[in-house]
Amino acid sequence: MAKAAVVLSPELWQIGHGEDHPLKPERLKRVYELLTAYDAFNGQNSRLVAPRPASRRELLLFHSEEYVDAVEALSRGDQTYVPSRYNFGPGDNPVFQGMYELAALKVGVALTATELVISGEVDAAFSPAGGMHHAAADHASGFCIFNDVAVIIHFLLAQGFRVAYVDIDVHHGDGVQNAFYDTDRVLTVSVHESGFFIFPGTGSTSETGQGIGQGYSVNLPLAPYTDDEVYVWAFEQVVPPVLRWFAPDIVVSQLGVDTHFLDPLGHLQLTTQGYAQAVSMICQQAPRWIALGGGGYEASVMPRAWTLAYGIMSGREFADEIPAAYAKKYGQLTLRDRTMPRIEASTKDIARRHAAKAIAELRERIPALRQ
Ligand SMILES: [Zn+2]
């Protein structure tokens, strides 16, 4: 059985981006409650670990000094910095008190997970609070303030590890791709809803890296209404082969579950079963694994999906029937979806053709897929 840990603590759900913002802190509390209901942290092979904070020096592994200063000042109400210069303002990225501490703690969680994995204490570590894949070095983007993913990948590179990044959020992992676009030391792979239909608008098959990084950025964009069958088929054609080719020491993954058919932000139509199949394929290719959360804005979905994901990481099959106390409190009866999305045959056909076209383009453009 694999050794695994979840890094999570209540400070992560004390404050949030504001009442009407989709990234609700209670999401994490429910993940914690469901994992606890399953007695997921019951032995030597599976632990719950409290995070340490990230230092300013660690944030600077990816972020600019000016941006870190600006977030810190804005977070305590200091008006010296103009929020809009760093893409803060009403909407996706509001300024809120304590945002520096919260965003830095999320990076600290990812660093704690990283240290658990590289020390050999665990084979896989999961930070449900992480996966802030849109944040850029010098500005906030798409709910993301500090990019925990880019920071830990820099941290791993500094120690000589070969890192592959796999992003299965419904939104393209643009911030992480951009951070490592011109290097062959990191492979980035993102499977997402096409940027023609959804934020951030990037992630086409033609984005393949530059300079020596050419061929080390891989994007699989999918059409709205892509369901489990088409998704799993397309994923299998692309993700395991490029990971096998790259042969990483460590896989870092962003496991956003806003691909689910009930999610209010995306238009893909996955169930928790389809999602779990993708997570299993990542697991099979990961010698060591740092898993981060990500999007997922439907509270009835995310705790179930991430519990299934943690079961895969820790080599444990959780019973499908949700423990009674949690089931009663939230009205959720099973980990796996019983109600399926209804997709018309013609819509499914469009999604299948869209995926097949993207795969054909990738086979032309990505050397790893040509063998
Ligand atoms: Zn997302």
Side-chain angles (χ1 to χ4, degrees), residues 133-134 143 169-172 199 254 256-258 265 294-297:
H133 61 165
H134 298 305
F143 315 163
D169 195 277
V170 81
H171 303 97
H172 175 228
F199 178 89
Q254 201 271 20
V257 65
D258 38 11
L265 264 59
Y297 305 97

Side-chain angles (χ1 to χ4, degrees), residues 13-347:
W13 59 76
Q14 302 309 320
I15 56 168
H17 297 234
E19 272 295 282
D20 302 324
H21 198 281
L23 197 66
K24 302 211 178 306
E26 302 82 55
R27 324 154 60 238
L28 298 170
K29 181 166 175 257
R30 280 177 69 159
V31 172
Y32 170 78
E33 286 181 343
L34 186 54
L35 285 167
T36 309
Y38 272 105
D39 201 12
F41 313 115
N42 65 346
Q44 288 181 321
N45 287 324
S46 174
R47 294 194 282 146
L48 179 67
V49 177
R52 67 167 178 83
S55 69
R56 181 185 158 84
R57 190 176 48 82
E58 286 166 334
L59 298 177
L60 296 177
L61 284 169
F62 174 60
H63 292 286
S64 72
E65 205 142 20
E66 182 188 328
Y67 179 57
V68 173
D69 290 342
V71 175
E72 197 171 18
L74 290 166
S75 174
R76 55 166 197 268
D78 180 333
Q79 303 293 318
T80 323
Y81 293 86
V82 181
S84 58
R85 217 178 134 169
Y86 309 96
N87 201 26
F88 285 109
D92 282 5
N93 309 299
V95 168
F96 57 96
Q97 218 170 26
M99 69 174 183
Y100 177 88
E101 287 73 17
L102 180 65
L105 182 59
K106 288 182 181 179
V107 178
V109 182
L111 286 162
T112 305
T114 303
E115 286 160 350
L116 285 164
V117 168
I118 61 183
S119 68
E121 282 180 67
V122 300
D123 306 297
F126 183 26
S127 159
M132 302 289 113
H133 61 165
H134 298 305
D138 59 359
H139 66 265
S141 178
F143 315 163
C144 304
I145 299 170
F146 292 137
N147 194 319
D148 57 323
V149 190
V151 170
I152 63 166
I153 294 177
H154 276 296
F155 184 88
L156 290 164
L157 288 179
Q159 303 195 35
F161 290 104
R162 193 172 167 76
V163 184
Y165 172 64
V166 183
D167 186 319
I168 61 171
D169 195 277
V170 81
H171 303 97
H172 175 228
D174 58 344
V176 182
Q177 175 178 293
N178 293 343
F180 304 103
Y181 205 54
D182 57 1
T183 178
D184 58 0
R185 296 184 64 203
V186 180
L187 170 75
T188 65
V189 186
S190 181
V191 182
H192 47 262
E193 181 175 344
S194 165
F196 283 112
F197 308 99
I198 200 172
F199 178 89
T202 49
S204 78
T205 56
S206 62
E207 295 165 31
T208 57
Q210 69 187 20
I212 53 165
Q214 183 69 49
Y216 291 82
S217 292
V218 180
N219 286 292
L220 176 59
L222 298 166
Y225 309 110
T226 296
D227 67 355
D228 283 353
E229 195 189 332
V230 172
Y231 184 94
V232 169
W233 168 77
F235 195 96
E236 205 168 16
Q237 308 298 306
V238 174
V239 182
V242 293
L243 287 175
R244 273 195 294 271
W245 166 82
F246 186 75
D249 301 315
I250 294 183
V251 170
V252 175
S253 64
Q254 201 271 20
L255 301 181
V257 65
D258 38 11
T259 47
H260 193 272
F261 73 97
L262 293 175
D263 195 274
L265 264 59
H267 315 100
L268 299 193
Q269 301 286 312
L270 266 60
T271 66
T272 57
Q273 294 89 306
Y275 172 82
Q277 277 182 269
V279 174
S280 290
M281 281 191 260
I282 298 171
C283 180
Q284 283 158 16
Q285 304 301 327
R288 291 193 261 178
W289 188 9
I290 301 160
L292 309 163
Y297 305 97
E298 171 50 52
S300 66
V301 170
M302 198 194 49
R304 294 185 295 119
W306 286 352
T307 297
L308 283 169
Y310 188 63
I312 294 162
M313 280 172 227
S314 55
R316 196 174 148 190
E317 178 97 16
F318 294 119
D320 195 39
E321 194 181 325
I322 287 176
Y326 185 100
K328 195 167 169 225
K329 187 169 173 188
Y330 294 113
Q332 299 291 296
L333 303 179
T334 57
L335 288 180
R336 289 162 192 82
D337 287 312
R338 292 290 162 88
T339 313
M340 298 294 160
R342 282 195 197 153
I343 318 247
E344 304 238 347
S346 58
T347 308

